[in-house]
Amino acid sequence: MCAAALLVGLAVAPAQADTGAGDTPGGGLRGAGWALKATGKEARFRGLAGVSRSTAWVAGTKGTVLRTGDGGRSWQDVSPPGAVAEGLELRDIEAFDARRAVALSIGEGEASRVLRTEDGGATWTETFRNPDPGAFYDCLTFFDARHGLAMSDPVDGKFRILATDDGGRSWRVLPDTGMPAALPGEAAFAASGQCLVASGPRDVWLATGGGPVARVLHSSDRGLTWRAADSTVPAGDPARGVFALAFRDRTTGLAVGGDYRAGQASPQAAARTADAGRGWSRAATPPPAYRSGAAWFPYGRSTALAVGPTGTDVTTDAGRTWRTLDAGSYDTVDCTADGGCWAAGEKGRVARLEVLRTPGR
């Protein structure tokens, strides 16, 4: 990077946005890169919720939650005291705005909990504590400010779904009659808060791995009934499968994953769908390694990002081909409607995607 380069926010991106055809390398992300935003923490942030270019939340190890309202120039430590005291692993966070957020801690039995704040993290309320020693919650997602779901690894042979209709203030376990049986060894990965994702008012998808095949389950009725489809992402090992999903709308989606073990090959680590997940096609040129997070870029209908410990990749043709954008380590990524793309990961790393320009251009 040129020392004289200036970092300019992606608010300029509409003028550079891709056409959707993917015929211009880089599309709307030409010249873009991650600009690190110092947090002063060493936590690993696998939970990330972008609200806008200026506001974002991150959640991670040892009960840590941070919030920024100035584009990452400063961060406020709003960690729930109880989560810090118990060293909870906060692997997912969903935020509605700068004041309201819902966080999920993972683990067996009572370690799986849901916490909610309405005052920017000044105070938190525990709204769910898992009573079942056989359950292990991995991810949560919201359709809107009231309706949301959380999911657990299989209990009695089926993935378990938890639902809220009041913004996370209360939760109930949904009946499993509409859930297909889990495959032997099948589970979800709490790697980025993106193993359960929603698009629109009723559609939700669940990503799996660890079994003989990596599957994506889809529900069009907020989690009451599900249909499973095999993805093209390799599985067959507890460390392999689909780690993250991203849906641009109720039909067009991406799946990324691979083998999370360092040094292990992850061929065919990305797949795409155009029919709501009923069928999946492998990427012609996939990311070169395991990827744990994915997000659609808001400017241009064919551009998306995938992140992992060894780098960031971008597609400008809706997941058919990927190219490397950055070599930094990130676990999760999220983009907002106003062009604010955020990434987070190990050792307190948080970054915002920005366009690099030289003076006079």
Side-chain angles (χ1 to χ4, degrees), residues 88-238:
L88 296 181
E89 287 277 342
L90 300 176
R91 294 289 184 93
D92 198 355
I93 188 165
E94 303 291 327
F96 308 116
D97 49 40
R99 297 186 61 79
R100 297 177 297 160
V102 179
L104 174 74
S105 72
I106 64 141
E108 296 178 349
E110 292 190 353
S112 286
R113 305 177 196 179
V114 178
L115 306 171
R116 187 179 190 277
T117 182
E118 296 183 355
D119 53 14
T123 60
W124 293 83
T125 301
E126 181 181 299
T127 59
F128 173 77
R129 181 178 296 207
N130 172 40
D132 190 334
F136 185 117
Y137 285 85
D138 299 284
C139 292
L140 60 84
T141 190
F142 277 83
F143 303 95
D144 52 43
R146 291 184 56 81
H147 303 93
L149 301 176
M151 59 80 60
S152 163
D153 288 337
V155 178
D156 297 327
K158 293 184 178 182
F159 285 95
R160 176 169 289 180
I161 303 298
L162 195 67
T164 180
D165 295 323
D166 54 13
R169 295 179 180 86
S170 63
W171 298 83
R172 69 188 187 283
V173 174
L174 294 183
D176 66 2
T177 53
M179 175 67 72
L183 302 176
E186 190 174 32
F189 295 106
S192 61
Q194 295 176 323
C195 59
L196 184 72
V197 300
S199 181
R202 304 189 69 81
D203 287 274
V204 60
W205 295 263
L206 186 161
T208 82
V213 296
R215 302 195 296 174
V216 178
L217 282 64
H218 172 227
S219 171
S220 58
D221 55 11
R222 290 185 183 160
L224 293 176
T225 60
W226 298 79
R227 171 183 286 185
D230 294 353
S231 78
T232 62
V233 176
D237 186 279

Side-chain angles (χ1 to χ4, degrees), residues 61 201 252 274 280 285:
T61 54
T252 307
W280 292 86
T285 305

Side-chain angles (χ1 to χ4, degrees), residues 233-234 239-241 243-244 255-271 283 285-294 305-314 322-330:
V233 176
R240 298 178 191 154
F243 282 71
V256 300
D259 190 320
Y260 71 78
R261 294 171 295 191
Q264 294 295 311
S266 291
Q268 304 163 23
T285 305
Y290 156 71
R291 296 294 180 253
S292 55
L305 297 159
V307 302
T310 63
T312 298
D313 304 292
V314 60
W322 296 82
R323 67 172 178 85
T324 299
L325 181 75
D326 183 274
S329 175
Y330 298 100

Side-chain angles (χ1 to χ4, degrees), residues 16-45:
Q16 303 172 332
D18 69 71
T19 63
D23 55 351
T24 302
L29 297 185
R30 178 183 292 277
W34 293 115
L36 284 168
K37 308 295 181 181
T39 64
K41 301 292 183 180
E42 289 295 317
R44 186 164 194 168
F45 294 120

